[in-house]
Amino acid sequence: MTSRFAKAQPAAARRRHARAGMARLVPLAALAALIAAPDPAGAASRRAERAVENVAPREAGAPIMAIVSLRNQQVTIYDADGWILRAPVSTGQSGRETPAGVFSVIQKDADHHSNLYDDAFMPHMQRITWSGIALHGGPLPGYAASHGCIRMPYGFAERLFDKTQLGMRVIIAPGGAAPVEIAHPALFSPTPDAGAHADALAAEATAAARKADEARLAALTADREAARATATMRNLDNLKARAEAQLAAAETALGAARSDEAKARAEDAKQKTAAKVAELQAQWDAANSATQPKLDAVAPAREAAATAESERAAAAKAAREAARALAPVSVFISRKTQKLYVRRAFEPVLESPVTIRDADRAIGTHVFTAVGRVGTGLRWSAVTLNDPADAKSALDRIVIPQDVLDRISPTASPRSSLIISDEALSGETGKGTEFVAVLSNEPQGGLAMRKHPASEVRYARRRDMGAQFGYAPQPYRQYYGRSIFGGPFSGW
């Protein structure tokens, strides 16, 4: 048995162990020699970690899909024109196998720690099931060794994380699989003016937002002017009341005067005060005339602002719905349930019965993806996971109801997909997911062990630094593989 801990022991300690072994029984000496022996599995791990990922000799586009080969322990990333990145992986070990099937990235977290395995560090995690299967950086011992996740080289996982987006298709194939170009009448073809309506609604939403801003500013201005006019009136009221009080006092003083000189002074004061009262009254009358229209303007301005805001909200909603209708559409056809399911942006749209010719005969699992536009149509690729029938034959056997085609085909766009499978939808398909289909004739240990009630599904936890800001480096685990007791001890 080879110990993976030998490489962490100081040389002096190993020499002490060897000398102690010489003084004891032969079996102990043999054990000491075994501990000091080279570690071929560890060397394989280091070679895997140092492996140079393959990069296509061309400028890469945005990733559209990732294909993981369980047999080859390799992940390949594809854009619209072919493969762009390739790297070794380590998938689920025996009893905890990574499930083969069709998935998508449903969450990203640069600084993720396992909810299931002792808070294990899973950097640059890209989740494909809410129950815990994900792609992430991790140790690569050179063979399948995880608890169901797909470990990638740390640097590769980091670079890939920055390039992908939610919804990217992840296909886990039992053997080798690769997309091939395909054309078929059953594949959706958008109408040339599919985006015109959405563009018009977006323009209307922009105009409504501008109108709402203007109306809100007008209401604020009306409020401000009314408040200023009211403050001016209040000030004039105070000044006029004070002047009138002074006039009354002057009249009282005049009535109380006895001498001619006192009467003259009192009369002069009265005249000046009366003039001030008259002046303030004139100012009050003018201000009052100007204030009333400003006060009257407040209510209509507020009403106009409220109406404009309602129109803005309605136009924005219509624009969002039109834009959502142009989002990539995903269609899943199950031979098992004889149904067709449609989703957009992780949300269910409809389901419908579907006709499958020779429904008693296996059809395989095939993923058709619109990888880009060509003329007014779409360019498609096909990936076959298992092949009781080839991709074209599978399409030949499908008859999609015309009303469904009329609803989804005109607005199909790049990254739209059609999945045909013998399988029913996996229970992993749910809120916040794309379609998930798992091959029932392949091991699913890594998925089965994660089953728990939906209410207990624990979502990714973020540390102090969010995924958009990178992650705080933490020491990677130095030892992984099998323990000296013969069982796996990796926490990934």
Side-chain angles (χ1 to χ4, degrees):
M1 181 182 298
T2 302
S3 171
R4 298 184 181 276
F5 292 92
K7 59 186 177 183
Q9 295 176 339
R14 291 200 297 273
R15 286 195 295 271
R16 287 197 300 273
H17 291 168
R19 286 197 296 270
M22 292 297 293
R24 296 173 184 168
L25 298 175
V26 171
L28 293 179
L31 179 60
L34 186 60
I35 290 175
D39 183 358
S45 172
R46 290 190 294 273
R47 285 196 300 273
E49 290 288 353
R50 292 195 301 268
V52 176
E53 299 85 27
N54 291 325
V55 179
R58 61 178 177 84
E59 185 175 352
I64 290 179
M65 74 177 74
I67 299 181
V68 177
S69 170
L70 297 176
R71 181 184 64 201
N72 300 332
Q73 291 292 282
Q74 185 178 76
V75 61
T76 305
I77 313 300
Y78 294 86
D79 68 3
D81 297 315
W83 76 274
I84 53 175
L85 296 169
R86 186 174 287 136
V89 298
S90 180
T91 60
Q93 61 190 267
S94 178
R96 302 174 184 270
E97 297 88 355
T98 302
V102 183
F103 307 84
S104 293
V105 174
I106 58 177
Q107 185 189 50
K108 298 175 65 173
D109 186 357
D111 181 25
H112 183 68
H113 290 69
S114 174
N115 297 318
L116 299 176
Y117 301 112
D118 301 325
D119 207 41
F121 187 37
M122 302 166 66
H124 300 100
M125 183 275 293
Q126 302 195 55
R127 184 187 296 275
I128 60 174
T129 74
W130 285 124
S131 61
I133 305 292
L135 296 87
H136 62 80
L140 304 181
Y143 51 84
S146 79
H147 282 182
C149 285
I150 300 144
R151 303 180 196 163
M152 303 178 291
Y154 288 108
F156 180 88
E158 182 177 4
R159 293 194 298 276
L160 182 64
F161 187 90
D162 294 332
K163 297 178 183 297
T164 61
Q165 58 182 298
L166 294 182
M168 183 188 75
R169 181 73 66 200
V170 178
I171 299 171
I172 303 176
V180 295
E181 292 267 349
I182 189 169
H184 194 280
L187 296 171
F188 320 131
S189 181
T191 55
D193 61 345
H197 179 59
D199 291 342
L201 289 178
E204 290 177 10
T206 300
R210 183 169 55 251
K211 180 180 177 182
D213 288 341
E214 292 171 353
R216 184 167 55 251
L217 179 60
L220 290 172
T221 300
D223 277 338
R224 190 163 48 245
E225 290 181 353
R228 187 180 298 118
T230 301
T232 299
M233 288 296 297
R234 188 181 300 114
N235 185 52
L236 287 173
D237 280 337
N238 293 334
L239 292 174
K240 191 159 71 75
R242 191 179 304 121
E244 288 171 346
Q246 291 173 350
L247 178 60
E251 289 175 345
T252 300
L254 179 61
R258 294 293 179 262
S259 66
D260 291 341
E261 184 179 357
K263 288 180 180 180
R265 286 198 303 270
E267 182 64 31
D268 183 61
K270 176 185 173 182
Q271 294 301 322
K272 289 181 179 178
T273 304
K276 184 176 181 181
V277 169
E279 180 184 356
L280 287 172
Q281 183 63 51
Q283 292 179 14
W284 188 95
D285 291 340
N288 186 53
S289 297
T291 296
Q292 194 57 48
K294 294 178 181 179
L295 295 177
D296 293 342
V298 170
R302 289 178 176 176
E303 183 178 348
T307 300
E309 178 59 25
S310 296
E311 292 173 351
R312 183 207 63 77
K317 181 181 179 181
R320 284 195 305 271
E321 290 176 350
R324 184 172 179 269
L326 291 177
V329 61
S330 295
V331 178
F332 183 88
I333 295 176
S334 168
R335 185 178 70 87
K336 185 172 183 178
T337 64
Q338 300 285 295
K339 283 189 175 182
L340 172 152
Y341 310 84
V342 180
R343 287 195 165 210
R344 282 188 193 269
F346 291 177
E347 295 292 335
V349 175
L350 63 87
E351 64 178 73
S352 165
V354 67
T355 300
I356 302 177
R357 299 187 181 96
D358 300 325
D360 294 335
R361 181 163 54 91
I363 200 169
T365 295
H366 312 271
V367 181
F368 304 90
T369 305
V371 296
R373 298 191 182 276
V374 54
T376 59
L378 297 172
R379 182 163 56 90
W380 290 82
S381 72
V383 177
T384 296
L385 277 73
N386 50 16
D387 52 0
D390 61 45
K392 181 180 182 302
S393 298
L395 288 172
D396 290 339
R397 291 169 57 187
I398 300 299
V399 181
I400 299 176
Q402 188 60 47
D403 61 325
V404 175
L405 279 175
D406 291 343
R407 184 168 176 180
I408 62 178
S409 186
T411 57
S413 61
R415 294 180 181 266
S416 293
S417 62
L418 168 63
I419 303 168
I420 300 174
S421 181
D422 292 309
E423 311 294 346
L425 282 173
S426 166
E428 293 288 345
T429 302
K431 184 176 181 180
T433 75
E434 254 279 9
F435 293 122
V436 179
V438 178
L439 302 188
S440 58
N441 60 342
E442 295 292 333
Q444 302 175 25
L447 187 61
M449 63 173 292
R450 287 171 163 79
K451 293 297 183 183
H452 39 68
S455 61
E456 295 181 6
V457 172
R458 289 169 288 182
Y459 292 78
R461 295 173 295 175
R462 297 178 185 271
R463 290 301 187 264
D464 294 339
M465 300 178 68
Q468 67 271 39
F469 302 114
Y471 68 95
Q474 298 190 25
Y476 299 141
R477 296 178 183 270
Q478 295 181 348
Y479 310 111
Y480 28 80
R482 297 188 177 277
S483 74
I484 58 174
F485 302 105
F489 62 86
S490 168
W492 297 80

